[in-house]
mmCIF file of all heavy atoms in Angstrom:
data_model
loop_
_atom_site.group_PDB
_atom_site.id
_atom_site.type_symbol
_atom_site.label_atom_id
_atom_site.label_comp_id
_atom_site.label_asym_id
_atom_site.label_seq_id
_atom_site.Cartn_x
_atom_site.Cartn_y
_atom_site.Cartn_z
ATOM 1 N N GLU Y 1 -13.152 70.991 7.972
ATOM 2 C CA GLU Y 1 -12.765 70.710 6.522
ATOM 3 C C GLU Y 1 -13.283 71.882 5.681
ATOM 4 O O GLU Y 1 -14.533 72.303 5.867
ATOM 5 C CB GLU Y 1 -13.451 69.428 6.025
ATOM 6 C CG GLU Y 1 -13.147 69.157 4.635
ATOM 7 C CD GLU Y 1 -13.949 67.984 4.041
ATOM 8 O OE1 GLU Y 1 -14.849 67.529 4.775
ATOM 9 O OE2 GLU Y 1 -13.827 67.611 2.916
ATOM 10 N N VAL Y 2 -12.446 72.453 4.873
ATOM 11 C CA VAL Y 2 -12.970 73.589 3.954
ATOM 12 C C VAL Y 2 -13.901 72.962 2.864
ATOM 13 O O VAL Y 2 -13.508 71.961 2.202
ATOM 14 C CB VAL Y 2 -11.681 74.276 3.325
ATOM 15 C CG1 VAL Y 2 -12.112 75.234 2.239
ATOM 16 C CG2 VAL Y 2 -10.798 74.861 4.340
ATOM 17 N N GLN Y 3 -15.018 73.621 2.772
ATOM 18 C CA GLN Y 3 -15.890 73.218 1.719
ATOM 19 C C GLN Y 3 -16.461 74.467 1.041
ATOM 20 O O GLN Y 3 -16.783 75.467 1.637
ATOM 21 C CB GLN Y 3 -17.059 72.430 2.331
ATOM 22 C CG GLN Y 3 -16.768 70.999 2.735
ATOM 23 C CD GLN Y 3 -18.021 70.134 2.816
ATOM 24 O OE1 GLN Y 3 -18.923 70.532 3.403
ATOM 25 N NE2 GLN Y 3 -17.937 68.891 2.338
ATOM 26 N N LEU Y 4 -16.601 74.373 -0.281
ATOM 27 C CA LEU Y 4 -17.171 75.361 -1.181
ATOM 28 C C LEU Y 4 -18.253 74.654 -1.991
ATOM 29 O O LEU Y 4 -17.951 73.783 -2.777
ATOM 30 C CB LEU Y 4 -16.099 76.045 -2.002
ATOM 31 C CG LEU Y 4 -15.057 76.839 -1.296
ATOM 32 C CD1 LEU Y 4 -13.914 77.232 -2.189
ATOM 33 C CD2 LEU Y 4 -15.684 77.989 -0.588
ATOM 34 N N VAL Y 5 -19.575 74.972 -1.782
ATOM 35 C CA VAL Y 5 -20.600 74.331 -2.568
ATOM 36 C C VAL Y 5 -21.249 75.321 -3.412
ATOM 37 O O VAL Y 5 -21.862 76.321 -2.873
ATOM 38 C CB VAL Y 5 -21.506 73.688 -1.492
ATOM 39 C CG1 VAL Y 5 -22.744 73.064 -2.372
ATOM 40 C CG2 VAL Y 5 -20.855 72.702 -0.699
ATOM 41 N N GLN Y 6 -21.230 75.116 -4.731
ATOM 42 C CA GLN Y 6 -21.786 76.012 -5.656
ATOM 43 C C GLN Y 6 -23.177 75.667 -6.040
ATOM 44 O O GLN Y 6 -23.648 74.497 -6.063
ATOM 45 C CB GLN Y 6 -20.896 75.986 -6.912
ATOM 46 C CG GLN Y 6 -19.503 76.480 -6.758
ATOM 47 C CD GLN Y 6 -18.772 76.464 -7.988
ATOM 48 O OE1 GLN Y 6 -17.500 76.024 -8.037
ATOM 49 N NE2 GLN Y 6 -19.233 76.835 -9.008
ATOM 50 N N SER Y 7 -23.984 76.705 -6.368
ATOM 51 C CA SER Y 7 -25.338 76.643 -6.839
ATOM 52 C C SER Y 7 -25.609 77.592 -7.927
ATOM 53 O O SER Y 7 -24.859 78.583 -8.099
ATOM 54 C CB SER Y 7 -26.293 76.712 -5.716
ATOM 55 O OG SER Y 7 -26.211 77.875 -5.010
ATOM 56 N N GLY Y 8 -26.668 77.432 -8.640
ATOM 57 C CA GLY Y 8 -27.035 78.404 -9.631
ATOM 58 C C GLY Y 8 -26.627 77.826 -11.066
ATOM 59 O O GLY Y 8 -26.230 76.669 -11.191
ATOM 60 N N LEU Y 20 -24.710 83.172 -10.005
ATOM 61 C CA LEU Y 20 -24.045 81.880 -9.315
ATOM 62 C C LEU Y 20 -23.796 82.256 -7.925
ATOM 63 O O LEU Y 20 -23.431 83.388 -7.563
ATOM 64 C CB LEU Y 20 -22.701 81.636 -10.074
ATOM 65 C CG LEU Y 20 -22.821 81.390 -11.507
ATOM 66 C CD1 LEU Y 20 -21.420 81.076 -12.039
ATOM 67 C CD2 LEU Y 20 -23.818 80.267 -11.968
ATOM 68 N N SER Y 21 -23.908 81.162 -7.029
ATOM 69 C CA SER Y 21 -23.629 81.420 -5.655
ATOM 70 C C SER Y 21 -22.644 80.165 -5.162
ATOM 71 O O SER Y 21 -22.613 79.180 -5.822
ATOM 72 C CB SER Y 21 -24.882 81.253 -4.782
ATOM 73 O OG SER Y 21 -25.724 82.336 -5.123
ATOM 74 N N CYS Y 22 -21.911 80.543 -4.075
ATOM 75 C CA CYS Y 22 -20.949 79.621 -3.608
ATOM 76 C C CYS Y 22 -20.963 79.755 -2.058
ATOM 77 O O CYS Y 22 -20.581 80.855 -1.522
ATOM 78 C CB CYS Y 22 -19.683 79.992 -4.134
ATOM 79 S SG CYS Y 22 -18.182 79.076 -3.461
ATOM 80 N N GLY Y 23 -21.496 78.673 -1.399
ATOM 81 C CA GLY Y 23 -21.535 78.772 0.071
ATOM 82 C C GLY Y 23 -20.217 78.139 0.631
ATOM 83 O O GLY Y 23 -19.792 77.064 0.068
ATOM 84 N N ALA Y 24 -19.766 78.784 1.706
ATOM 85 C CA ALA Y 24 -18.455 78.255 2.274
ATOM 86 C C ALA Y 24 -18.731 77.773 3.718
ATOM 87 O O ALA Y 24 -19.554 78.160 4.403
ATOM 88 C CB ALA Y 24 -17.502 79.514 2.328
ATOM 89 N N SER Y 25 -17.818 76.856 4.080
ATOM 90 C CA SER Y 25 -17.818 76.332 5.493
ATOM 91 C C SER Y 25 -16.457 75.734 5.741
ATOM 92 O O SER Y 25 -15.586 75.503 4.851
ATOM 93 C CB SER Y 25 -18.897 75.284 5.640
ATOM 94 O OG SER Y 25 -18.611 74.188 4.775
ATOM 95 N N GLY Y 26 -16.159 75.735 7.074
ATOM 96 C CA GLY Y 26 -14.950 75.150 7.481
ATOM 97 C C GLY Y 26 -13.811 76.100 7.596
ATOM 98 O O GLY Y 26 -12.655 75.561 7.962
ATOM 99 N N PHE Y 27 -14.012 77.356 7.509
ATOM 100 C CA PHE Y 27 -12.880 78.342 7.601
ATOM 101 C C PHE Y 27 -13.468 79.673 7.945
ATOM 102 O O PHE Y 27 -14.680 79.887 7.808
ATOM 103 C CB PHE Y 27 -11.980 78.356 6.372
ATOM 104 C CG PHE Y 27 -12.736 78.833 5.106
ATOM 105 C CD1 PHE Y 27 -12.566 80.203 4.664
ATOM 106 C CD2 PHE Y 27 -13.451 77.899 4.350
ATOM 107 C CE1 PHE Y 27 -13.270 80.605 3.508
ATOM 108 C CE2 PHE Y 27 -14.082 78.429 3.133
ATOM 109 C CZ PHE Y 27 -13.956 79.634 2.778
ATOM 110 N N PHE Y 29 -14.500 82.687 6.886
ATOM 111 C CA PHE Y 29 -14.811 83.199 5.565
ATOM 112 C C PHE Y 29 -14.322 84.703 5.354
ATOM 113 O O PHE Y 29 -13.752 85.009 4.366
ATOM 114 C CB PHE Y 29 -16.245 83.050 5.192
ATOM 115 C CG PHE Y 29 -16.721 83.489 3.916
ATOM 116 C CD1 PHE Y 29 -16.512 82.736 2.855
ATOM 117 C CD2 PHE Y 29 -17.344 84.614 3.765
ATOM 118 C CE1 PHE Y 29 -16.827 83.142 1.509
ATOM 119 C CE2 PHE Y 29 -17.856 85.024 2.486
ATOM 120 C CZ PHE Y 29 -17.593 84.306 1.319
ATOM 121 N N MET Y 34 -11.956 85.812 -2.276
ATOM 122 C CA MET Y 34 -12.590 84.842 -3.008
ATOM 123 C C MET Y 34 -12.625 85.113 -4.475
ATOM 124 O O MET Y 34 -12.564 86.287 -4.914
ATOM 125 C CB MET Y 34 -14.068 84.696 -2.513
ATOM 126 C CG MET Y 34 -14.237 84.274 -1.118
ATOM 127 S SD MET Y 34 -13.737 82.568 -0.769
ATOM 128 C CE MET Y 34 -14.718 81.575 -1.775
ATOM 129 N N TRP Y 36 -13.611 83.872 -8.715
ATOM 130 C CA TRP Y 36 -14.261 82.975 -9.734
ATOM 131 C C TRP Y 36 -13.351 82.771 -10.873
ATOM 132 O O TRP Y 36 -12.757 83.699 -11.363
ATOM 133 C CB TRP Y 36 -15.605 83.672 -10.270
ATOM 134 C CG TRP Y 36 -16.698 83.687 -9.134
ATOM 135 C CD1 TRP Y 36 -16.987 84.682 -8.281
ATOM 136 C CD2 TRP Y 36 -17.680 82.662 -8.953
ATOM 137 N NE1 TRP Y 36 -18.036 84.313 -7.469
ATOM 138 C CE2 TRP Y 36 -18.527 83.087 -7.827
ATOM 139 C CE3 TRP Y 36 -17.836 81.383 -9.436
ATOM 140 C CZ2 TRP Y 36 -19.547 82.319 -7.390
ATOM 141 C CZ3 TRP Y 36 -18.902 80.630 -8.934
ATOM 142 C CH2 TRP Y 36 -19.686 81.111 -7.900
ATOM 143 N N ASP Y 73 -21.439 87.927 1.054
ATOM 144 C CA ASP Y 73 -22.171 88.122 2.256
ATOM 145 C C ASP Y 73 -21.350 87.334 3.371
ATOM 146 O O ASP Y 73 -21.418 86.092 3.434
ATOM 147 C CB ASP Y 73 -23.535 87.557 2.104
ATOM 148 C CG ASP Y 73 -24.457 87.806 3.338
ATOM 149 O OD1 ASP Y 73 -23.880 87.926 4.429
ATOM 150 O OD2 ASP Y 73 -25.670 87.870 3.038
ATOM 151 N N GLN Y 76 -23.641 85.297 5.781
ATOM 152 C CA GLN Y 76 -24.128 84.017 5.177
ATOM 153 C C GLN Y 76 -23.053 83.174 4.660
ATOM 154 O O GLN Y 76 -23.211 82.054 4.297
ATOM 155 C CB GLN Y 76 -25.177 84.261 3.999
ATOM 156 C CG GLN Y 76 -26.319 84.957 4.375
ATOM 157 C CD GLN Y 76 -27.225 84.109 5.333
ATOM 158 O OE1 GLN Y 76 -27.384 82.896 5.187
ATOM 159 N NE2 GLN Y 76 -27.879 84.719 6.367
ATOM 160 N N MET Y 77 -21.751 83.748 4.695
ATOM 161 C CA MET Y 77 -20.507 83.027 4.163
ATOM 162 C C MET Y 77 -20.821 82.523 2.814
ATOM 163 O O MET Y 77 -20.708 81.307 2.491
ATOM 164 C CB MET Y 77 -20.219 81.867 5.171
ATOM 165 C CG MET Y 77 -19.811 82.314 6.569
ATOM 166 S SD MET Y 77 -19.482 80.909 7.775
ATOM 167 C CE MET Y 77 -18.048 80.157 6.979
ATOM 168 N N SER Y 78 -21.125 83.420 1.984
ATOM 169 C CA SER Y 78 -21.218 83.075 0.536
ATOM 170 C C SER Y 78 -20.662 84.137 -0.318
ATOM 171 O O SER Y 78 -20.558 85.253 0.021
ATOM 172 C CB SER Y 78 -22.780 82.897 0.249
ATOM 173 O OG SER Y 78 -23.445 84.075 0.392
ATOM 174 N N VAL Y 79 -20.257 83.764 -1.565
ATOM 175 C CA VAL Y 79 -19.884 84.628 -2.619
ATOM 176 C C VAL Y 79 -20.676 84.382 -3.771
ATOM 177 O O VAL Y 79 -21.200 83.222 -4.066
ATOM 178 C CB VAL Y 79 -18.376 84.444 -2.872
ATOM 179 C CG1 VAL Y 79 -17.999 83.066 -3.361
ATOM 180 C CG2 VAL Y 79 -17.941 85.556 -3.881
ATOM 181 N N SER Y 80 -21.054 85.495 -4.525
ATOM 182 C CA SER Y 80 -21.903 85.336 -5.723
ATOM 183 C C SER Y 80 -21.243 85.959 -6.989
ATOM 184 O O SER Y 80 -20.362 86.883 -6.839
ATOM 185 C CB SER Y 80 -23.296 86.039 -5.427
ATOM 186 O OG SER Y 80 -23.927 85.357 -4.352
ATOM 187 N N CYS Y 96 -15.811 78.662 -8.073
ATOM 188 C CA CYS Y 96 -15.474 79.668 -7.073
ATOM 189 C C CYS Y 96 -14.303 78.914 -6.339
ATOM 190 O O CYS Y 96 -14.092 77.726 -6.302
ATOM 191 C CB CYS Y 96 -16.652 79.852 -6.049
ATOM 192 S SG CYS Y 96 -17.033 78.477 -4.978
ATOM 193 N N ALA Y 97 -13.482 79.862 -5.752
ATOM 194 C CA ALA Y 97 -12.244 79.420 -5.228
ATOM 195 C C ALA Y 97 -11.800 80.376 -4.002
ATOM 196 O O ALA Y 97 -12.248 81.549 -3.990
ATOM 197 C CB ALA Y 97 -11.082 79.270 -6.201
ATOM 198 N N ARG Y 98 -11.141 79.825 -3.103
ATOM 199 C CA ARG Y 98 -10.599 80.558 -1.851
ATOM 200 C C ARG Y 98 -9.168 80.833 -2.040
ATOM 201 O O ARG Y 98 -8.413 79.902 -2.472
ATOM 202 C CB ARG Y 98 -11.037 79.840 -0.708
ATOM 203 C CG ARG Y 98 -10.747 80.644 0.650
ATOM 204 C CD ARG Y 98 -10.586 79.704 1.829
ATOM 205 N NE ARG Y 98 -9.128 79.331 1.922
ATOM 206 C CZ ARG Y 98 -8.551 78.660 2.879
ATOM 207 N NH1 ARG Y 98 -9.327 78.191 3.845
ATOM 208 N NH2 ARG Y 98 -7.260 78.409 2.951
ATOM 209 N N TRP Y 114 -11.212 74.876 -3.904
ATOM 210 C CA TRP Y 114 -12.165 75.116 -5.109
ATOM 211 C C TRP Y 114 -13.544 74.525 -4.810
ATOM 212 O O TRP Y 114 -13.658 73.383 -4.236
ATOM 213 C CB TRP Y 114 -11.527 74.549 -6.422
ATOM 214 C CG TRP Y 114 -10.246 75.175 -6.817
ATOM 215 C CD1 TRP Y 114 -9.109 75.076 -6.041
ATOM 216 C CD2 TRP Y 114 -10.008 76.155 -7.839
ATOM 217 N NE1 TRP Y 114 -8.080 75.898 -6.778
ATOM 218 C CE2 TRP Y 114 -8.659 76.466 -7.870
ATOM 219 C CE3 TRP Y 114 -10.870 76.622 -8.867
ATOM 220 C CZ2 TRP Y 114 -8.137 77.358 -8.766
ATOM 221 C CZ3 TRP Y 114 -10.252 77.436 -9.717
ATOM 222 C CH2 TRP Y 114 -8.932 77.853 -9.742
ATOM 223 N N GLY Y 115 -14.542 75.088 -5.349
ATOM 224 C CA GLY Y 115 -15.863 74.444 -5.466
ATOM 225 C C GLY Y 115 -15.940 73.389 -6.561
ATOM 226 O O GLY Y 115 -14.893 73.230 -7.267
ATOM 227 N N GLN Y 116 -17.061 72.729 -6.612
ATOM 228 C CA GLN Y 116 -17.208 71.710 -7.619
ATOM 229 C C GLN Y 116 -17.455 72.102 -9.021
ATOM 230 O O GLN Y 116 -17.352 71.313 -9.930
ATOM 231 C CB GLN Y 116 -18.329 70.792 -7.118
ATOM 232 C CG GLN Y 116 -19.737 71.200 -7.525
ATOM 233 C CD GLN Y 116 -20.427 72.233 -6.593
ATOM 234 O OE1 GLN Y 116 -19.708 72.905 -5.807
ATOM 235 N NE2 GLN Y 116 -21.681 72.333 -6.627
#
Side-chain angles (χ1 to χ4, degrees):
Chain Y
E1 180 193 4
V2 173
Q3 285 198 319
L4 297 171
V5 179
Q6 298 180 222
S7 59
L20 305 182
S21 294
C22 174
S25 61
F27 63 98
F29 184 73
M34 297 297 295
W36 289 94
D73 183 334
Q76 297 295 321
M77 295 178 61
S78 66
V79 60
S80 297
C96 70
R98 193 206 82 176
W114 296 72
Q116 81 277 18

